[in-house]
Amino acid sequence: MLNPARAVQGTGAACMFACSLALIAGAFPPQERGTAFGIFGGTIGGAVAVGPLIGGALTEGIGWEWVFFVNVPIGIAAIVASFTRMRESRDPRSGHVDVAGFVTFSVALFLLVFALVRGNAEGWSSPLIVSFLVASGLLLVAFVAIEWRVEDPMFDLTLFRKPSFTGAAIVGFTLSASMFSLFLYLTLYIQNVLGYSPLEAGVRFLPTTLLSFFVAPIAGRLVGRVVPVRVLLGVGMVLVGVGLLLQSGLDAGSHWTHFLPGFIAAGFGVGLINPPLATTQVGVVPPQRSGMASGIGNTFRQVGIATGIAALGAIFQHAVTAKTLDALGSGPRLGGDVGSALSSGNLGGVLRALPPDQRGRFVEAFHAGFAGALNEILVIGAIVALAGAVAGFALVRREDFVTAEAAAPEAAPVAA
């Protein structure tokens, strides 16, 4: 029941994220969008900071189900505000849904993520995993062919002719595939290895989330006025990469304070990135096309999270199993597939299969193995983030942005 319900939520979230940037772009002139996007980014940062705290308190106090119930009145308030406070923005040239593009892209992404998640359990050379990976690649090729030929594509590939749009897409993808994907594994470490409660774990992420909240509005005011967009994007991604490297180096005796320097650097970097990233995604197209542009940008971010969690998870699951068993040395060998239990920190079933006198030693080995595996994916995440920094520095250019004068003739039909 939970999975279909989350699928419905995901559909709604996709609609909102694509529209939000487009509405802001349509409501503000180009010279004011940086500040508006900064406030938007700060609001998201505040939500990210408050969410784990409220979620942790609800989980500990009255049950995890209430993390869903609490959103019902918030959702009702958002619906009322949407109908009463927002002004419509649309592209008059868009008249139908690109069904073929939607189906091929969605199925390709599903098959790719499924194969990455199940690769360790099924075997990377198994017929199921190989067939899913091949089918995903073929469907992505078909999707590109469809988008080139269809009259009104959902994913206008011509936007990538502007290097700045490509650079923003790469930055969005790499930020999600590195920093945001690793939140899952950091949470597992803080809760299941260090033993903190959900609320206590949320408190320990505050250096990242609060810094992002306070830095984003400042970065929004700097965009294009004082500091070039590409500098903010590049420096922000460098800080994210450095922050992830600082978080690595864990061992079995590490405390949560080991993460603190990395949390601070990464939080500052995320705050620098979000406003100029949004500005670039919608700033290189006319306002009436900002919906498609922001939708594509959001797609790259969501694909980055999905593939990042899956790919890093495949590496992590293999590494935590191997490193835990290596740390056991000549101790008892466990049969069956214990990778899933170890990578999620769910040791109950594994410990029950061991003699009582071996359980303490196994827990120590698991802590060492989990820390070693987390070190590996933190370094991989840092490399991905630094690759995004290069793309931000190299591809984003001032001349790709649409000026107010250039956008005015295109905007007239919308006002009418």
Side-chain angles (χ1 to χ4, degrees):
M1 185 63 191
L2 184 61
N3 285 333
R6 294 290 280 169
V8 174
Q9 282 190 302
T11 303
C15 296
M16 289 189 292
F17 270 109
C19 292
S20 57
L21 295 182
L23 288 167
I24 293 174
F28 293 90
Q31 63 270 23
E32 296 180 6
R33 286 180 195 159
T35 302
F37 287 137
I39 296 172
F40 178 75
T43 303
I44 293 177
V48 172
V50 172
L53 300 179
I54 296 177
L58 290 172
T59 300
E60 293 182 32
I62 56 179
W64 65 267
E65 297 88 348
W66 280 88
V67 301
F68 300 115
F69 295 144
V70 74
N71 286 299
V72 174
I74 297 173
I76 292 172
I79 291 170
V80 172
S82 298
F83 280 111
T84 58
R85 305 296 298 175
M86 291 184 181
R87 187 177 62 186
E88 184 59 86
S89 172
R90 68 174 70 249
D91 183 355
R93 295 172 296 178
S94 181
H96 73 280
V97 176
D98 178 12
V99 176
F102 167 75
V103 171
T104 53
F105 185 78
S106 300
V107 175
L109 182 59
F110 169 80
L111 294 176
L112 174 62
V113 172
F114 184 94
L116 291 173
V117 169
R118 295 295 300 166
N120 283 329
E122 303 288 341
W124 291 100
S125 60
S126 68
L128 177 67
I129 300 302
V130 172
S131 62
F132 272 31
L133 289 173
V134 171
S136 176
L138 293 175
L139 284 171
L140 286 175
V141 172
F143 168 74
V144 172
I146 290 169
E147 299 308 282
W148 276 119
R149 296 172 63 89
V150 72
E151 182 178 349
D152 189 14
M154 75 166 193
F155 204 115
D156 188 354
L157 299 175
T158 61
L159 293 176
F160 291 98
R161 293 174 181 170
K162 288 192 174 183
S164 294
F165 190 83
T166 303
I170 294 173
V171 168
F173 178 88
T174 53
L175 176 63
S176 296
S178 57
M179 179 69 187
F180 295 136
S181 297
L182 283 163
F183 268 129
L184 169 62
Y185 304 102
L186 292 170
T187 302
L188 290 174
Y189 181 82
I190 291 174
Q191 289 188 214
N192 295 340
V193 175
L194 298 184
Y196 290 103
S197 69
L199 178 58
E200 291 169 338
V203 170
R204 279 152 182 81
F205 281 114
L206 283 178
T208 295
T209 52
L210 286 180
L211 264 175
S212 173
F213 171 71
F214 287 113
V215 171
I218 299 173
R221 294 189 65 85
L222 295 177
V223 173
R225 299 179 180 179
V226 181
V227 182
V229 174
R230 66 185 184 90
V231 173
L232 288 172
L233 290 175
V235 171
M237 289 302 295
V238 167
L239 286 172
V240 169
V242 170
L244 294 175
L245 287 175
L246 290 173
Q247 292 171 47
S248 64
L250 295 162
D251 57 43
S254 295
H255 298 284
W256 83 270
T257 51
H258 171 90
F259 294 111
L260 195 54
F263 280 175
I264 292 172
F268 201 92
V270 171
L272 287 180
I273 292 166
N274 279 329
L277 183 59
T279 299
T280 305
Q281 287 172 350
V282 301
V284 297
V285 299
Q288 66 272 22
R289 306 217 74 195
S290 58
M292 175 181 288
S294 63
I296 293 174
N298 183 61
T299 296
F300 270 86
R301 298 186 72 151
Q302 298 304 317
V303 171
I305 291 178
T307 56
I309 289 176
L312 292 174
I315 297 169
F316 181 76
Q317 183 174 321
H318 173 77
V320 73
T321 304
K323 291 179 182 296
T324 299
L325 296 179
D326 285 345
L328 281 173
S330 59
R333 288 292 168 176
L334 300 173
D337 178 22
V338 297
S340 180
L342 293 177
S343 61
S344 65
N346 181 20
L347 298 181
V350 180
L351 291 177
R352 283 192 294 270
L354 292 173
D357 61 332
Q358 295 288 339
R359 292 173 184 172
R361 181 183 176 191
F362 181 82
V363 170
E364 292 178 1
F366 163 70
H367 287 178
F370 201 105
L374 186 55
N375 287 335
E376 286 192 11
I377 61 173
L378 282 168
V379 172
I380 293 172
I383 294 171
V384 172
L386 293 174
V390 173
F393 275 123
L395 296 177
V396 178
R397 312 177 304 177
R398 180 186 297 271
E399 56 265 32
D400 288 338
F401 285 76
V402 176
T403 62
E405 294 76 11
E410 295 279 355
V414 181

